[in-house]
Amino acid sequence: EKRAVIQIEKNGYPDSIYINAAKIFQGIHTEKSEDKSQVRYGDNPESPMVAFKDEHSRRASYELAFNALKYQDLLEEILLDSKVYPCYSIPDELTSLLVVMLYDLQDRKFRKRKVFAEEELVAEVQEIGDYLYSYRTKLAAALARCRIKYDALSIEYFLPEAVWKQEQRASALPICSWINTLKISLEDVIRDLEMKGFTKVESVSDFDHYTYAVDQHCHDVLVFPSSLREELLNLDLFADCKLLLQ
């Protein structure tokens, strides 16, 4: 059965998200036995100190970290096959940053990432980003060899079938969000959504992109189409924690 893969152009993340994603990944990456591990991750703190600027940054950091985790074996193979790793100027403590930034680089089709206005630059992120980008041709070639080796049309084919099907089901589910009644009322949320072009419908069966429904049993819960996830997280209602993603 063919898997449909939707490609969305990506510009990368602010430096702080890479740092936070690397800290999260450092704590959750798969540990391998000494005789099988060729990629070293240094010390593995159980509770990394992670500071998020806002809800969008938190979700982006966790999403990036868990995407790197899903493809850890593939990313390590790309680093080793391309001879980009080991690099003696990059200590083991920064390997997690190297891996999460490699995932993002291939996700952007090895295009240069955007520099965000007023972003606080982090020296380690800039160094590793420049290092990976300078070897983008070798990294892309290594990924292509992996795809040929495993007969994979895209990196999604490297996921176990059970994991891929689970992700497909999850991505198709409607998005539920709680109204933070300590900050805003249902009426004000509805007014704000309508000003942004959303239309209220009776049930999820009536969804048509910029639509939403009020849960029939919990009137402080709104439901949105799954296709709106990224756009919703960029709304002020979510950024200000007036709506909380379930």
Side-chain angles (χ1 to χ4, degrees), residues 176-181 184 189 218-222 238 241-246:
C176 295
S177 61
W178 291 89
I179 298 172
N180 184 352
T181 53
I184 196 169
V189 169
C218 301
H219 293 167
D220 56 351
V221 173
L222 300 183
F238 284 90
C241 296
K242 293 176 180 177
L243 280 181
L244 306 173
L245 211 61
Q246 174 66 27

Side-chain angles (χ1 to χ4, degrees), residues 220-231:
D220 56 351
V221 173
L222 300 183
V223 188
F224 298 88
S226 59
S227 59
L228 293 177
R229 180 174 298 273
E230 290 299 321
E231 293 180 68

Side-chain angles (χ1 to χ4, degrees), residues 83 95 112 120 130 144 155 157 165 170 202 219 221 226:
K83 304 295 192 294
T95 301
K112 197 170 185 66
E120 184 177 344
D130 290 343
I155 71 164
Y157 283 74
K165 286 183 176 179
E202 290 303 313
H219 293 167
V221 173
S226 59

